[in-house]
Amino acid sequence: MKLRIITALLGIVSLNAVAQRPVSKEDSRFNGLDTTFQRVLKTWHAAGFAVAVVQKNKVIYARGFGYRDAEKKLPVTANTLFAIGSCSKAFTTTLIGKLQKEGKVNIDQPVNNYLPGLKFYNEVMTDHITLRDMMSHRTGLSRFDMSWYLFNTSSTDSLLKRIKYMEPNAGLREKWQYNNFMYMAQGALIEKLTGKSWGDNIKEKFFIPLGMTHSNVSIPELLKSEEISTGYGVKPDNTLDKLDYYNIDGMAPAGAINSNVNDMAKWLIAWINNGKYEGKEIIPEDFRNQAISSQAIVEGALPEKGSLDTYFGNYGFGWFLDSYKGHYRVEHGGNIDGFSAISSFFPADSIGVVVLSNQHGSKVPVIVKDIIVDRLLHLKYQDWNSKIKSERDKAELASAKEKKKAIETQHNPSTHALKDFAGSYTHPAYGTMKIYVQNDSLFAKSKIRTYWLRHANYDIFELFDKDPKDGVNITTGYAGFNLQFHMNLSGNIDGFEAQLESKLKPFLFARVEDVKQLKAPE
């Protein structure tokens, strides 16, 4: 996707002077960070990132590193815009908190009282799930992320209707399970009660009073902005892979905000200062205190070996909570195609760090954040870059061994010719997948993705991404799930199962039309 960069190359010098906040000479906590962060970029083959640090009510450090556009060699500054992904969630829950303060909603009443169009899998869930449950991910529903990610739509109504077909795998309030749909539904409720879009509410209630003048809530707005970053992945040869922006306007309340570290620093200052920014209430104080208090237990196990000084793991309202080396920590990460982010603050220590990067599924934000936090809290030095790199390498080696083992298993022929599998298959909680034959291969197409189906065993096929530019890469392109086709009593293919959610049984997509062979999409 072509970027519309407004800033001219001739303006880079003056722009950097404005965007980068200089470090005071007496603050030795930031000494040597330039070298350290260049090492992080090199280790992870990342294009760039920006970081801002706040203490009490001031920004004490804000800088960019690397490139926002690697091809054009345009540098990242503290004003560079990135997609912040799920760091958006705390904005959405805070809108709910404001509505509660105004008496328009009670977060402990069934959400169906306020949003009758929201129906769950059974009456018990519909009659008892509250906004508190939805904000803290304790509804009994697993993620169902493939529903909105593979079968994307701009229609909030369409997404709401899918929730009715999402079967729970736990009882209400029995366990914590992350679910983006519950945040999309909060946004729908906000729009119903205010008569304004979720995006307009975000701008009116937060961006304007905080002076977040660069931030926006959609890809079309981002593309009209100055100094936007290009999103990247990393290819097997460690070169950059330019990725398209992913428009998730239907799921916007779960993660559609685009911002820079200068703007996000103001958001953190409000959280650190009991909900106030420059003396004005931005976040209701009572709600702020609940939001950063434990509402659901994420992990009840003892600290892991190697992380014995990190205690408990809980969730508030749009925030993860834990104790890091004796310091109470509140944070949330964010990931969307080409971008990774983290917002973190320590309310008792009055410090906060936000890191935004233009790398897909990146470890960079966490590494940079932890390096800075250890300095701010005067903690013993730890080489986070090497530690996390070693952990990632071990995980990749284990994954490679599993893939090799799977390839070596016996392959039996399928029961039907490829043309017999072609058709449309649908599931009400997801959408429709079209299977078609092209040349001598079978392909599957959702609304945004095309996959090559490699025969595995009998009527089981493995899915690999088919990139419009680079084709199929069987080394890195595995989609993470297989399709197992089913026959009816007449011996005809009538559906397929797919393990789209790791914690749930496979979902059956029923064949909805008898098509001999679908033509390949043009």
Side-chain angles (χ1 to χ4, degrees):
M1 182 179 293
K2 293 184 178 179
L3 297 176
R4 285 179 278 178
I5 307 274
I6 299 177
T7 305
L9 288 172
L10 293 176
I12 289 175
V13 175
S14 60
L15 180 63
N16 282 336
V18 175
Q20 312 283 55
R21 183 176 295 273
V23 180
S24 59
K25 293 182 180 179
E26 62 271 14
D27 198 336
S28 61
R29 293 174 296 179
F30 303 104
N31 288 349
L33 279 184
D34 285 15
T35 301
T36 299
F37 290 159
Q38 290 300 330
R39 175 174 167 242
V40 172
L41 284 173
K42 184 177 179 180
T43 298
W44 297 93
H45 310 286
F49 70 88
V51 54
V53 181
V54 301
Q55 186 167 29
K56 295 182 179 179
N57 61 354
K58 294 182 179 179
V59 179
I60 60 174
Y61 182 89
R63 290 187 63 83
F65 297 86
Y67 298 110
R68 67 180 188 269
D69 187 320
E71 183 180 2
K72 297 179 180 178
K73 296 293 187 288
L74 300 177
V76 172
T77 76
N79 278 333
T80 299
L81 287 171
F82 300 82
I84 71 169
S86 288
C87 292
S88 306
K89 284 183 167 60
F91 287 87
T92 296
T93 59
T94 306
L95 287 177
I96 297 292
K98 283 179 168 290
L99 289 173
Q100 177 165 256
K101 184 177 180 180
E102 295 169 4
K104 295 180 179 179
V105 72
N106 184 330
I107 65 171
D108 292 310
Q109 291 296 313
V111 68
N112 182 256
N113 291 355
Y114 307 101
L115 191 62
L118 176 58
K119 303 291 184 183
F120 289 90
Y121 190 76
N122 55 50
E123 289 186 6
V124 173
M125 295 175 71
T126 300
D127 292 343
H128 291 89
I129 288 178
T130 66
L131 282 165
R132 187 183 296 272
D133 299 321
M134 293 165 64
M135 290 190 289
S136 56
H137 298 298
R138 58 185 201 185
T139 61
L141 292 173
S142 187
R143 294 188 70 122
F144 287 90
D145 276 341
M146 288 297 183
S147 176
W148 65 265
Y149 188 77
L150 287 185
F151 304 92
N152 191 18
T153 176
S154 298
S155 171
T156 299
D157 288 341
S158 175
L159 292 168
L160 279 174
K161 290 176 182 177
R162 295 182 192 180
I163 294 173
K164 181 180 178 180
Y165 302 97
M166 296 178 179
E167 184 176 358
N169 66 328
L172 176 60
R173 306 182 192 116
E174 179 181 317
K175 62 190 295 187
W176 178 90
Q177 294 185 111
Y178 199 82
N179 186 287
N180 282 297
F181 273 88
M182 296 302 97
Y183 275 72
M184 176 275 298
Q186 289 174 56
L189 172 62
I190 290 164
E191 293 183 351
K192 183 176 184 296
L193 294 181
T194 64
K196 300 177 182 178
S197 71
W198 168 83
D200 285 346
N201 273 283
I202 293 292
K203 295 170 186 176
E204 178 185 327
K205 303 297 184 182
F206 305 127
F207 291 175
I208 293 174
L210 285 171
M212 297 176 67
T213 55
H214 298 87
S215 302
N216 56 69
V217 296
S218 71
I219 296 302
E221 288 178 297
L222 175 67
L223 293 173
K224 295 177 183 177
S225 303
E226 296 183 9
E227 202 177 325
I228 63 178
S229 55
T230 301
Y232 296 98
V234 180
K235 295 181 180 180
D237 62 359
N238 293 325
T239 59
L240 296 178
D241 182 19
K242 184 178 177 180
L243 302 179
D244 290 340
Y245 297 111
Y246 188 32
N247 192 338
I248 58 167
D249 49 356
M251 293 291 292
I257 290 175
N258 306 297
S259 190
N260 60 37
V261 295
N262 276 334
D263 279 4
M264 289 295 291
K266 299 172 182 178
W267 174 241
L268 288 186
I269 286 173
W271 282 95
I272 289 171
N273 290 277
N274 299 313
K276 293 183 178 180
Y277 182 77
E278 295 183 346
K280 182 179 179 181
E281 182 182 271
I282 304 297
I283 307 161
E285 185 173 358
D286 178 67
F287 177 81
R288 177 260 188 190
N289 294 338
Q290 289 189 68
I292 60 174
S293 298
S294 298
Q295 303 293 331
I297 297 173
V298 175
E299 179 57 68
L302 296 173
E304 296 179 0
K305 184 179 179 181
S307 299
L308 298 177
D309 45 12
T310 300
Y311 299 91
F312 79 86
N314 295 344
Y315 201 84
F317 297 149
W319 292 106
F320 285 96
L321 317 168
D322 64 17
S323 178
Y324 175 68
K325 299 183 178 181
H327 298 265
Y328 194 88
R329 179 167 63 183
V330 181
E331 64 184 17
H332 209 292
N335 287 283
I336 194 64
D337 292 29
F339 298 93
S340 302
I342 194 160
S343 298
S344 180
F345 68 98
F346 294 73
D349 300 284
S350 297
I351 62 169
V353 181
V354 57
V355 187
L356 307 178
S357 73
N358 55 342
Q359 185 180 52
H360 184 75
S362 182
K363 301 292 186 183
V364 168
V366 171
I367 293 169
V368 171
K369 179 261 300 182
D370 286 342
I371 289 171
I372 289 180
V373 165
D374 283 354
R375 291 186 176 213
L376 293 174
L377 297 177
H378 304 288
L379 300 173
K380 182 180 179 181
Y381 170 78
Q382 184 166 0
D383 186 354
W384 285 107
N385 192 51
S386 297
K387 179 179 186 294
I388 293 177
K389 176 67 162 53
S390 176
E391 292 172 351
R392 196 283 305 268
D393 290 346
K394 288 179 181 178
E396 286 191 346
L397 181 61
S399 177
K401 289 181 178 179
E402 286 296 318
K403 289 179 181 179
K404 183 179 180 182
K405 183 179 178 181
I407 292 173
E408 293 172 348
T409 58
Q410 184 178 1
H411 288 241
N412 295 290
S414 60
T415 61
H416 289 65
L418 292 184
K419 64 181 179 62
D420 295 330
F421 297 103
S424 293
Y425 301 79
T426 191
H427 188 286
Y430 289 86
T432 299
M433 180 85 78
K434 292 186 177 182
I435 308 294
Y436 64 92
V437 177
Q438 187 175 58
N439 298 326
D440 59 349
S441 293
L442 205 59
F443 293 88
K445 183 175 178 59
S446 70
K447 188 169 184 178
I448 67 160
R449 290 282 190 275
T450 299
Y451 299 100
W452 171 59
L453 274 62
R454 182 174 73 175
H455 180 254
N457 197 23
Y458 292 116
D459 291 340
I460 300 173
F461 291 80
E462 299 170 321
L463 273 70
F464 292 84
D465 280 303
K466 182 177 181 293
D467 189 274
K469 298 174 293 184
D470 303 325
V472 176
N473 188 319
I474 61 173
T475 303
T476 61
Y478 179 56
F481 62 95
N482 299 342
L483 301 186
Q484 178 178 351
F485 288 91
H486 282 203
M487 287 186 291
N488 59 23
L489 292 176
S490 300
N492 298 317
I493 302 298
D494 66 351
F496 67 72
E497 282 188 337
Q499 184 78 55
L500 297 178
E501 305 291 333
S502 61
K503 298 180 180 180
L504 302 178
K505 62 184 181 182
F507 291 96
L508 178 63
F509 283 66
R511 192 168 187 166
V512 292
E513 57 180 282
D514 186 14
V515 179
K516 292 183 179 180
Q517 184 170 346
L518 293 180
K519 293 182 179 180
E522 296 180 357

